[in-house]
Amino acid sequence: MERLELKEVQRLEGHNDRVWSLDWNPATGHAGTPLVFASCSGDKTVRIWEQDLSSGLWACKAVLDETHTRTVRSCAWSPSGKLLATASFDATTAIWENVGGDFECVATLEGHENEVKSVSWNASGTLLATCSRDKSVWIWEMQPVNEFECVSVLQGHTQDVKMVKWHPTEDILISCSYDNSIKVWADEGDSDDWQCVQTLGQPNNGHTSTVWALSFNASGDKMVTCSDDLTVKVWETENVQSSSGFAPWRHLCTLSGYHDRTIFSIHWSREGIFASGAADDTIQLFGDDNESQVGGPLYTLLLKKEKAHDMDINSVQWSPGEKPLLASASDDGTIKVWELVSQ
């Protein structure tokens, strides 16, 4: 069996505090266009990084500052790649538009009582979800001319909500929380009447500590979650939106014994490999175990990258485009871009 290796392409410096999160622009890296991603930090700024096509190296093309007054915790590009949403501990979410290479803040979303932890666009770019330490999840609808209206405030978590993520094809939203739960939200009917249609893992197979992050596979029929309980869990659904309404998720398997400190980030590649990043400074890659016995697909550790960063790894994310690149962000203030190569 061929051996996989994560080869460090470049170490990016510029932030002067921990880097919390990053997001690749989904509209880049295709048909000879350079890959672009955004990173956000405790230094209150967002940086836009672009790859030089001739050298393959990355440079910071813009610094978005003087808008947020506290840590920027999360950033997410719209599906078109034209807008960037940034969520901050200052209780606001900012919307940035790329106008001829310059980024302008075109909207500021207010309403959460305190720190906004995560932001996510739906597949069509018409809805934006935010979540907060105030235990709530808000759904915003994009109006003409970069205006956003809050159409629903979802109360269901009993603690800080760490992450929200839209399903890749359906308007179904998943949230995960400090209350150890994962909740599935759907719009039941024509009105903006969003409801919690499922809480995952209770009373069986659930995480036993904070759930930090989640990611879907490319087809959207599987989801992976990671937790402070040092496990990664894989969930599956038959059909996310069936004719009879919502189709529930069920627990497929639990991966434990790999990380020995909190797992902060998880991300599934289009090729079916998911990466995890943790407080043990390692990045680990998992893939389908095609040799697995009867009982469905299990997952096996493909690679463990020791000392990937000097401190906690807060975010890992696979790139769009043809070549499998992975970016990681850390408490050490750096971002690293890795290439997955076969030996």
Side-chain angles (χ1 to χ4, degrees):
M1 183 178 163
E2 62 184 17
R3 199 166 71 85
L4 295 174
E5 186 190 345
L6 267 185
K7 181 177 145 207
E8 185 177 320
V9 176
Q10 196 177 353
R11 179 174 182 261
L12 303 175
E13 297 179 337
H15 286 295
N16 57 30
D17 200 330
R18 69 184 59 182
V19 188
W20 275 112
S21 183
L22 54 88
D23 194 45
W24 296 89
N25 186 321
T28 65
H30 307 283
T33 62
L35 281 162
V36 173
F37 69 87
S39 61
C40 58
S41 165
D43 65 11
K44 309 172 193 171
T45 72
V46 178
R47 285 178 172 258
I48 310 295
W49 306 86
E50 186 175 306
Q51 186 181 31
D52 182 282
L53 286 175
S54 55
S55 69
L57 296 178
W58 305 80
C60 179
K61 290 296 184 183
V63 179
L64 317 187
D65 57 5
E66 296 180 358
T67 293
H68 289 298
T69 58
R70 292 184 63 196
T71 290
V72 188
R73 179 66 180 84
S74 172
C75 55
W77 295 94
S78 64
S80 68
K82 293 185 167 57
L83 297 175
L84 178 70
T86 57
S88 171
F89 285 4
D90 66 13
T92 71
T93 301
I95 310 294
W96 306 81
E97 185 174 17
N98 185 355
V99 183
D102 289 326
F103 285 82
E104 296 176 9
C105 181
V106 294
T108 302
L109 314 185
E110 299 177 336
H112 282 293
E113 291 172 19
N114 45 38
E115 301 170 3
V116 187
K117 294 297 181 74
S118 173
V119 60
S120 175
W121 298 87
N122 72 340
S124 61
T126 56
L127 297 173
L128 189 72
T130 57
C131 66
S132 167
R133 189 176 157 192
D134 67 13
K135 309 174 192 173
S136 71
V137 173
W138 289 42
I139 295 178
W140 308 80
E141 188 172 52
M142 188 166 174
Q143 310 290 331
V145 206
N146 293 330
E147 291 196 3
F148 291 79
E149 178 191 355
C150 176
V151 293
S152 199
V153 176
L154 310 179
Q155 308 279 5
H157 286 292
T158 58
Q159 298 284 342
D160 182 2
V161 188
K162 295 296 187 186
M163 187 179 197
V164 282
K165 192 76 184 167
W166 290 97
H167 184 271
T169 57
E170 304 284 347
D171 282 346
I172 289 183
L173 182 69
I174 314 281
S175 59
C176 57
S177 167
Y178 187 75
D179 67 13
N180 310 350
S181 77
I182 301 151
K183 289 187 179 290
V184 184
W185 308 87
D187 182 0
E188 301 271 87
D190 297 328
S191 62
D192 289 310
D193 189 17
W194 289 82
Q195 304 284 342
C196 178
V197 293
Q198 189 181 9
T199 299
L200 294 188
Q202 295 176 342
N204 302 315
N205 298 321
H207 287 292
T208 56
S209 190
T210 304
V211 188
W212 277 96
L214 67 109
S215 179
F216 293 97
N217 67 349
S219 57
D221 64 344
K222 290 189 177 66
M223 172 173 67
V224 62
T225 57
C226 65
S227 169
D228 182 53
D229 67 11
L230 312 186
T231 70
V232 168
K233 290 181 182 286
V234 183
W235 311 82
E236 64 178 351
T237 181
E238 291 297 332
N239 182 354
V240 172
Q241 194 73 59
S242 64
S243 56
S244 59
F246 172 75
W249 291 86
R250 63 174 179 269
H251 176 260
L252 181 62
C253 63
T254 296
L255 305 175
S256 59
Y258 295 99
H259 288 286
D260 54 25
R261 291 189 64 196
T262 302
I263 309 167
F264 288 125
S265 182
I266 195 102
H267 194 249
W268 217 318
S269 75
R270 291 186 317 282
E271 292 76 29
I273 294 174
F274 53 84
S276 57
D280 60 11
D281 312 341
T282 71
I283 295 172
Q284 303 191 27
L285 304 186
F286 300 87
D288 271 346
D289 185 358
N290 297 321
E291 313 289 308
S292 72
Q293 303 304 311
V294 179
L298 295 173
Y299 295 85
T300 186
L301 179 70
L302 303 176
L303 184 156
K304 179 177 182 178
K305 186 73 178 179
E306 302 269 11
K307 295 185 171 55
H309 282 270
D310 296 335
M311 295 171 74
D312 297 15
I313 296 164
N314 296 316
S315 183
V316 286
Q317 196 176 78
W318 294 101
S319 68
E322 290 78 36
K323 199 153 98 177
L325 295 175
L326 182 75
S328 57
S330 168
D331 273 6
D332 65 15
T334 71
I335 298 144
K336 289 187 179 181
V337 179
W338 310 84
E339 184 183 351
L340 184 58
V341 293
S342 302
Q343 297 287 48

